[in-house]
Amino acid sequence: MASGGPYFDDLRSKPEIIDPPQNEDMMDIRETVDDPAQNELKPNVAVSSSVRDLLECPVCLNAMYPPIHQCSNGHTLCSGCKPRVHNRCPTCRHELGNIRCLALEKVAASLELPCKYQSYGCIGIYPYYSKVKHESQCVYRPYSCPYAGSECSVVGDIPYLVAHLKDDHKVDMHSGSTFNHRYVKSNPQEVENATWMLTVFSCFGQYFCLHFEAFQLGMAPVYIAFLRFMGDDNDAKNYSYRLEVGGNGRKMVWQGVPRSIRDSHRKVRDSFDGLIIQRNMALFFSGGDRKELKLRVTGRIWKEQ
């Protein structure tokens, strides 16, 4: 296939994800139950790579969904990329017009494909037009690294991420459902430069991440501590945790449900779903001349009956 010239190459460098159509009038496609057990590998569902290539948009390289456009020479293009090529076929430069490739749309409707997370354990086979929706919710889809300090882009399953946190981020690993941590900072006035911390706990056959950091809540500098569950949200709801911090005869307590690491660290923090401590109160708990932060955070994790 011809490269299509400089402007076509530029379009390739800026791929755009096109969601499957939501218009029911385009084609009558039956949705299947999103249950891998009911969509197990079946015989006669193998799809040749040549058919998959036909359904790949030559510009964005994503799978095409109705309406699929074609030029008078039969070259196809997804609906999202048509306006980007100024109504010119990127392969032969002929005018595209408004020709639908109905035959290819029907071929796609007849296909059943494995989930792209098959290597992670998903055994489901899904109709072409249901596959993207399933993959956006697949319980086997990989998790993002919960180490937010470096905006780490690593993804993987839980065992892989645990090893990654330990080996690459040098995160402290602890066994047990109770903890007693002391956070010390010599210059607590510099909230924007405060070092946030992550500790991983192993208990009940699961892994949990304890976060502690400083951030600005409006104009007020605050500290926050919260727990995240290394797994899906449905499983996270089976656990609860409690955090305590105090000093000088005072104490603050937080009790909640750990959030799944499917939710980003920033999303949890910005929803204030944790133990929030105003800086003045944190320094009061620290005692002394208030020039050094010395917070002791204790807590425990338990499984709900």
Side-chain angles (χ1 to χ4, degrees):
M1 183 180 291
S3 65
Y7 88 94
F8 177 45
D9 293 335
D10 180 62
L11 288 169
R12 281 180 179 272
S13 68
K14 302 175 181 178
E16 181 176 329
I17 303 299
I18 305 299
D19 292 328
Q22 302 300 319
N23 188 346
E24 296 180 356
D25 296 334
M26 287 185 174
M27 189 165 293
D28 183 17
I29 304 299
R30 179 175 59 87
E31 289 283 343
T32 61
V33 178
D34 192 16
D35 182 357
Q38 298 184 24
N39 294 277
E40 292 184 0
L41 294 173
K42 310 170 186 175
N44 306 321
V45 295
V47 180
S48 68
S49 59
S50 60
V51 174
R52 295 193 191 192
D53 290 343
L54 286 174
L55 289 165
E56 182 181 272
C57 175
V59 175
C60 65
L61 305 182
N62 294 316
M64 294 188 289
Y65 297 93
I68 299 175
H69 298 280
Q70 70 173 36
C71 72
S72 57
N73 289 327
H75 302 126
T76 55
L77 185 73
C78 78
S79 59
C81 289
K82 184 185 176 185
R84 299 171 63 198
V85 298
H86 307 291
N87 206 36
R88 290 284 177 181
C89 174
T91 304
C92 67
R93 303 299 192 209
H94 282 201
E95 187 173 348
L96 284 171
N98 291 304
I99 307 173
R100 284 272 295 274
C101 188
L102 297 177
L104 189 56
E105 291 177 10
K106 290 181 179 179
V107 168
S110 69
L111 298 180
E112 292 182 312
L113 303 173
C115 172
K116 71 178 180 180
Y117 302 124
Q118 189 177 53
S119 62
Y120 288 95
C122 184
I123 60 174
I125 295 293
Y126 299 91
Y128 183 81
Y129 294 127
S130 302
K131 182 172 176 286
V132 170
K133 180 180 178 181
H134 159 76
E135 289 171 348
S136 69
Q137 304 169 350
C138 180
V139 296
Y140 292 97
R141 68 192 189 278
Y143 298 87
S144 297
C145 173
Y147 192 92
S150 60
E151 300 296 334
C152 182
S153 61
V154 168
V155 298
D157 58 18
I158 299 304
Y160 177 83
L161 288 182
V162 170
H164 165 67
L165 288 170
K166 179 181 179 182
D167 299 336
D168 298 330
H169 293 300
K170 310 303 180 186
V171 168
D172 289 336
M173 300 283 176
H174 295 270
S175 295
S177 58
T178 61
F179 46 88
N180 187 335
H181 282 285
R182 191 164 181 249
Y183 298 101
V184 178
K185 182 171 176 57
S186 58
N187 188 359
Q189 305 302 320
E190 298 178 1
V191 170
E192 66 278 7
N193 297 321
T195 302
W196 74 277
M197 301 179 186
L198 171 66
T199 306
V200 173
F201 295 90
S202 172
C203 55
F204 308 107
Q206 306 289 346
Y207 291 94
F208 300 84
C209 298
L210 176 64
H211 295 264
F212 180 84
E213 66 175 291
F215 73 107
Q216 293 286 148
L217 181 56
M219 297 298 292
V222 298
Y223 299 94
I224 185 171
F226 58 87
L227 197 72
R228 286 203 290 168
F229 175 75
M230 295 188 72
D232 276 332
D233 186 59
N234 287 337
D235 294 324
K237 293 175 181 176
N238 295 325
Y239 301 90
S240 295
Y241 74 101
R242 177 185 176 95
L243 298 176
E244 294 185 9
V245 62
N248 288 329
R250 277 79 168 178
K251 180 169 65 175
M252 294 178 65
V253 178
W254 165 268
Q255 183 170 317
V257 175
R259 296 278 287 271
S260 166
I261 60 172
R262 294 284 189 207
D263 289 336
S264 70
H265 157 268
R266 185 180 298 275
K267 180 178 180 180
V268 179
R269 187 198 71 185
D270 291 349
S271 65
F272 317 131
D273 193 1
L275 176 62
I276 295 179
I277 314 160
Q278 298 287 339
R279 185 173 65 186
N280 286 339
M281 182 61 70
L283 293 175
F284 177 77
F285 287 155
S286 300
D289 56 6
R290 297 195 176 196
K291 293 183 178 180
E292 185 176 40
L293 178 71
K294 294 180 181 179
L295 279 183
R296 185 176 299 278
V297 177
T298 62
R300 68 184 184 96
I301 306 165
W302 66 91
K303 188 172 183 178
E304 297 290 350
Q305 300 299 319

